[in-house]
Amino acid sequence: MPRHEDRNRCHYCMAFIAEALRYRNVAPFGVGHNTVCRTTIDKYTIPENTGILVYQGYIMRNEKEWERANDFMPERFLDSEGQFVSTRPKAYMPFGVGRRVCPGERLAIADLFLVLVRFLQRTQRYDILVDSIAGVSVDPQIPDSSNPPEFTIIFKKK
Ligand code: HEM
């Protein structure tokens, strides 16, 4: 069984999780907020009590911030020795930023790691076949929602 400590050794798994959260962010618009006072950011002034959504899904796939932003590349989170890089670019924000940043981040990463590793361990003796006609699309049905279209996977004993 995988344990939490194993995260320090499973560099590619950690990079895979980090990239999955970047590439198809669970909450592309984060959580809505309101300004508590008139606020100026750069050349924009936002009045008091205005609803704000941060389109973090876009920031995390912005070509200006990310090399090959629309490719799924876990390697972008590995250094030249294949070690998981724990420092994050500013444009990496699957859990939001600032004082309302997601308090569940550590728990979420810990869970994702255990589920992913357990899945890989339990499926080693299977060929994983994807519906050959429909294939798999990782693009959501409604743009920037988090639900991919349904697809069929067959686990066939080797
Ligand atoms: C992959 C899993 C998760 C993702 C991607 C995620 C993402 C987010 C995001 C983007 C926000 C908004 C942050 C902001 O406003 O800047 C948020 C807020 C929040 N999340 Fe998560 N979250 C995840 C898992 C969890 C878990 C496991 C918990 C609790 C056990 C949790 C509890 C919360 C709470 C309470 C807030 C509101 C914080 C506040 O407004 O002060 N989240 N999350």
Side-chain angles (χ1 to χ4, degrees):
M1 285 288 274
R3 294 184 310 171
H4 291 305
E5 306 83 87
D6 296 328
R7 275 182 284 167
N8 302 326
R9 297 190 294 125
C10 298
H11 298 281
Y12 195 85
C13 284
M14 293 306 290
F16 181 93
I17 291 167
E19 177 67 342
L21 290 170
R22 181 198 72 85
Y23 184 70
R24 287 295 180 265
N25 184 204
V26 178
F29 287 100
V31 169
H33 294 291
N34 262 37
T35 48
V36 291
C37 59
R38 192 166 178 268
T39 307
T40 301
I41 301 171
D42 202 6
K43 56 185 178 189
Y44 302 99
T45 298
I46 306 162
E48 187 183 342
N49 202 24
T50 303
I52 302 283
L53 283 176
V54 175
Y55 191 4
Q56 53 189 50
Y58 176 77
I59 296 169
M60 287 196 289
R61 289 196 308 273
N62 185 346
E63 300 279 354
K64 286 191 198 142
E65 305 284 349
W66 302 92
E67 203 187 318
R68 295 173 55 193
N70 287 297
D71 291 348
F72 185 81
M73 284 169 42
E75 298 75 17
R76 70 174 84 242
F77 292 106
L78 296 175
D79 66 17
S80 55
E81 269 137 44
Q83 305 275 309
F84 179 54
V85 184
S86 51
T87 49
R88 298 273 165 268
K90 229 173 156 187
Y92 186 75
M93 53 180 75
F95 294 96
V97 282
R99 59 159 60 165
R100 305 310 291 267
V101 69
C102 174
E105 172 171 356
R106 287 168 72 93
L107 177 63
I109 299 285
D111 270 7
L112 287 169
F113 175 76
L114 295 179
V115 170
L116 173 65
V117 173
R118 201 71 191 113
F119 175 81
L120 294 172
Q121 288 175 336
R122 292 298 298 265
T123 54
Q124 264 177 359
R125 293 200 198 116
Y126 292 84
D127 281 326
I128 302 177
L129 309 171
V130 172
D131 177 341
S132 57
I133 298 167
V136 173
S137 171
V138 291
D139 292 319
Q141 277 161 315
I142 304 163
D144 262 322
S145 78
S146 302
N147 299 337
E150 276 185 23
F151 53 85
T152 306
I153 298 182
I154 300 161
F155 293 89
K156 206 172 157 198
K157 230 173 182 159
K158 285 181 184 169

